[in-house]
Amino acid sequence: MALKHQTPMLDELTKGPWPSFVADIKRVAERKPQCDDLLGLLELSYKDKEGHWKHGGIVGVFGYGGGVIGRYCDRPDLFPNVAHFHTMRVNQPASKFYTTDVLRKLCDIWEEKGSGLFNFHGSTGDIILLGTTTDQLEPVFYDLTHELGMDLGGSGSNMRTPSCCVGRARCEWSCLDTQDITYDITMRYQDELHRPMFPYKFKFKVSGCPNDCVAAIARADCSIIGTWRDNIRIDQEAVRAYVAGELVPNGGAHGFEKRPLDIQAEVIDKCPTRCMEWDGKNLKIWDEDCVRCMHCINVMPRALRPGEDVGATILVGAKAPILEGAQLSSVIIPFMKMEPPYEEFHEFVEKMWDWWMEHGKNRERLGELIQRLGLREFLKAVGVKPDPRMINTPRYNPYIFYDPADVPGGWERDPVAYRQRHQP
């Protein structure tokens, strides 16, 4: 079937060795008029050097304030099949595990009621259903919930869909049941997920170990990172086997050939706190200085393992560069056991949200609010005592200010009397 629109500029993106979204859309456009008009609209945008989508009001499904991103074309006269082209976000299963049966049913629903285009997955999770009309939103939502038991994800100024790594389902390093934590957050905070109430978006991400395979520390307002507080487990025989070239370093990530491991150069010298020592026979680790970077474990996975007293480090404040630039999250709670029913974590989250909703400006992420008002105010609000592990770099201000309530005996301050005693 010949396509309606000529797209010479878009066709440039089909050249070269890499997969092309243009080629994918053209393939679907042979059976879907929406995709044909989508290509024409995109070609016009490239030609005019401006987008041709407009904000035409808020659309959604009954009872939900998020999960649907309304999209309207500003040239419905030229591209009538994308006059409405709304996006739906669907809450992905924890760790993104699917059966082929679910995927086929999902494709059938969207083929019938939408454009047939998906994005697996959005940058922070969610199955993205790209393009449908207003009258199909409720039917799609009904099919998702009744046939597949799936729900919409978050959008707008609410809690976004939580996401996690594969956790203990497939990873031997995981210190957390990441799926259970993600499920608990999703089910406990349904109102926050579906009904926008925050100053701006809020993201939870759960990584089972400090390798942080979901990039929680770079992208989540609240990062939950699996860790341990006892000693790294060492198999000295396996360490010697790596040094002797009997085992493949890095779990085969950089090649499958066996070679002698230069443990001094490849492991010990790369330890950020220099907490390791090799005497030629045994590896010694001063665990009190270990910062859980995982490098030694990644290089010698047969020899080293995380400890057995496991839990989570809770960090807050990461975001992408929108207003104040990119931020990584900061340690707030160095260790929490993170076991069901997660009451300690829930208490922390709800205090954090109360403070953010009271003091946050419109479109101000939590990390930006902490940056504006200071970590001291945030710690007071959530009831957490300051800890050296929260510090990224030494401070430049030499003055220390105390709250009278924190000093034994306290003191009374009378600014008027002070100024009378110290006349200029």
Side-chain angles (χ1 to χ4, degrees):
M1 171 184 168
L3 299 183
K4 180 169 59 173
H5 302 286
Q6 298 299 312
T7 56
M9 299 180 77
L10 288 180
D11 291 345
E12 292 296 313
L13 299 177
T14 65
K15 299 176 181 178
W18 307 111
S20 167
F21 76 94
V22 175
D24 288 343
I25 296 175
K26 284 192 171 188
R27 190 167 62 250
V28 181
E30 293 177 1
R31 66 178 191 274
K32 285 286 188 178
Q34 302 103 305
C35 295
D36 197 349
D37 274 5
L38 176 64
L39 289 166
L41 181 70
L42 190 54
E43 179 75 15
L44 182 64
S45 296
Y46 276 45
K47 178 183 175 182
D48 294 345
K49 295 184 172 62
E50 65 177 14
H52 285 284
W53 299 111
K54 65 177 183 176
H55 179 61
I58 296 173
V59 292
V61 298
F62 185 72
Y64 280 26
V68 178
I69 297 90
R71 188 164 288 123
Y72 298 88
C73 167
D74 68 0
R75 293 303 307 270
D77 54 322
L78 298 178
F79 311 105
N81 294 305
V82 291
H84 301 189
F85 202 73
H86 309 313
T87 291
M88 300 184 76
R89 290 181 179 168
V90 180
N91 195 323
Q92 82 280 357
S95 303
K96 303 182 177 74
F97 285 126
Y98 298 92
T99 65
T100 53
D101 180 58
V102 165
L103 292 175
R104 288 190 178 98
K105 287 180 179 176
L106 195 57
C107 290
D108 289 343
I109 291 169
W110 199 237
E111 183 73 17
E112 178 188 354
K113 297 180 172 69
S115 69
L117 296 177
F118 290 87
N119 180 357
F120 279 81
H121 296 81
S123 60
T124 56
D126 285 323
I127 308 161
I128 309 298
L129 309 185
L130 291 164
T132 192
T133 55
T134 304
D135 60 303
Q136 291 291 358
L137 294 174
E138 288 289 353
V140 171
F141 181 54
Y142 183 91
D143 289 347
L144 289 171
T145 53
H146 288 72
E147 293 186 24
L148 293 176
M150 302 180 87
D151 198 1
L152 295 187
S155 69
S157 295
N158 63 3
M159 185 184 88
R160 298 300 178 85
T161 308
S163 65
C164 64
C165 68
V166 296
R168 289 172 176 164
R170 296 208 53 183
C171 180
E172 60 188 315
W173 306 139
S174 184
C175 301
L176 297 173
D177 187 341
T178 59
Q179 286 96 352
D180 189 60
I181 293 168
T182 300
Y183 182 76
D184 176 81
I185 292 171
T186 303
M187 299 307 292
R188 181 177 179 90
Y189 298 120
Q190 281 285 295
D191 260 5
E192 290 80 2
L193 177 61
H194 295 306
R195 297 167 187 94
M197 61 180 69
F198 294 150
Y200 201 21
K201 66 183 82 168
F202 193 94
K203 299 177 182 179
F204 286 103
K205 292 187 183 297
V206 190
S207 285
C209 79
N211 278 325
D212 191 14
C213 291
V214 294
I217 293 173
R219 299 191 300 175
D221 298 271
C222 183
S223 317
I224 304 166
I225 309 295
T227 188
W228 64 95
R229 60 180 173 185
D230 54 347
N231 296 341
I232 294 176
R233 289 174 281 171
I234 306 175
D235 181 341
Q236 297 289 357
E237 287 293 331
V239 175
R240 290 189 281 270
Y242 276 110
V243 173
E246 299 169 11
L247 296 173
V248 179
N250 302 292
H254 306 306
F256 297 107
E257 73 282 355
K258 293 179 180 178
R259 62 173 179 82
L261 175 70
D262 185 343
I263 193 170
Q264 186 67 42
E266 296 182 56
V267 179
I268 294 170
D269 289 347
K270 286 183 165 57
C271 175
T273 57
R274 299 293 191 269
C275 71
M276 312 180 79
E277 183 180 283
W278 169 249
D279 65 5
K281 294 183 179 180
N282 291 294
L283 180 68
K284 168 64 178 173
I285 300 177
W286 283 270
D287 289 273
E288 62 272 18
D289 295 325
C290 174
V291 292
R292 316 295 193 264
C293 76
M294 293 290 290
H295 175 71
C296 59
I297 296 175
N298 293 335
V299 175
M300 300 188 292
R302 298 275 292 273
L304 303 176
R305 298 180 66 82
E308 295 179 314
D309 185 8
V310 295
T313 296
I314 310 299
L315 306 92
V316 303
K319 69 176 190 67
I322 296 178
L323 295 180
E324 297 291 333
Q327 288 178 204
L328 299 180
S329 55
S330 302
V331 172
I332 298 299
I333 301 176
F335 188 88
M336 180 185 289
K337 278 304 285 183
M338 214 61 187
E339 295 174 340
Y342 308 112
E343 291 177 356
E344 182 183 2
F345 180 69
H346 297 155
E347 182 180 354
F348 166 74
V349 167
E350 287 151 25
K351 287 180 179 178
M352 171 174 64
W353 280 346
D354 285 346
W355 183 74
W356 182 40
M357 286 190 283
E358 182 177 352
H359 298 285
K361 297 179 180 179
N362 187 39
R363 294 179 68 84
E364 184 174 50
R365 297 284 286 272
L366 176 64
E368 292 166 326
L369 175 60
I370 294 172
Q371 195 174 39
R372 178 166 63 87
L373 296 187
L375 183 61
R376 177 200 304 263
E377 294 303 313
F378 176 72
L379 294 179
K380 282 183 186 177
V382 296
V384 174
K385 292 183 178 180
D387 186 288
R389 288 167 289 186
M390 299 172 182
I391 305 303
N392 184 32
T393 56
R395 67 200 191 98
Y396 299 100
N397 185 346
Y399 295 101
I400 298 174
F401 298 92
Y402 293 96
D403 187 326
D406 295 335
V407 177
W411 72 85
E412 296 293 333
R413 290 190 292 181
D414 186 342
V416 175
Y418 178 86
R419 291 191 180 96
Q420 288 176 348
R421 294 196 306 271
H422 298 82
Q423 295 291 334

